[in-house]
Amino acid sequence: MATKRVHLTFNKQLVREPVLWEIGQEFGLVMNIRRADVQADMGWVELQMEGDEDKLNLAIEAFQKRGVRVDPIEVQAVTG
């Protein structure tokens, strides 16, 4: 099982639609909202997705096709 973290930005039209639920269901992914800020005219979500690698990539394409801006989140680790 693969994991991807992304920052999603929703415009005014998309902020009221159940886009996360629909795409999670369509591709059989586990969606975990890490942080979010949703207003009446826009919103953003930091999302962790778990599932098959191919389905994660298809889900990212599905977000983009709906007009959601998708930016990858690089996980930084400090050791020592």
Side-chain angles (χ1 to χ4, degrees), residues 28-74:
L29 301 175
V30 175
M31 305 273 203
N32 186 17
I33 297 172
R34 308 293 288 193
R35 296 184 346 157
D37 183 15
V38 179
Q39 307 293 319
D41 59 345
M42 72 160 294
W44 60 263
V45 174
E46 287 186 8
L47 184 68
Q48 179 173 313
M49 302 185 297
E50 295 180 14
D52 178 75
E53 180 78 28
D54 291 336
K55 290 183 178 180
L56 290 172
N57 293 328
L58 290 171
I60 289 172
E61 288 179 22
F63 280 123
Q64 293 170 329
K65 285 179 182 174
R66 285 181 165 218
V68 178
R69 179 181 168 158
V70 181
D71 296 301
I73 296 175
E74 301 296 327

Side-chain angles (χ1 to χ4, degrees), residues 5-33:
R5 293 182 71 182
V6 291
H7 182 100
L8 305 175
T9 305
F10 298 84
N11 63 27
K12 186 175 184 177
Q13 290 80 26
L14 293 172
V15 79
R16 295 180 183 261
E17 296 182 21
V19 176
L20 294 179
W21 183 84
E22 291 175 353
I23 290 178
Q25 292 294 307
E26 181 176 350
F27 296 102
L29 301 175
V30 175
M31 305 273 203
N32 186 17
I33 297 172

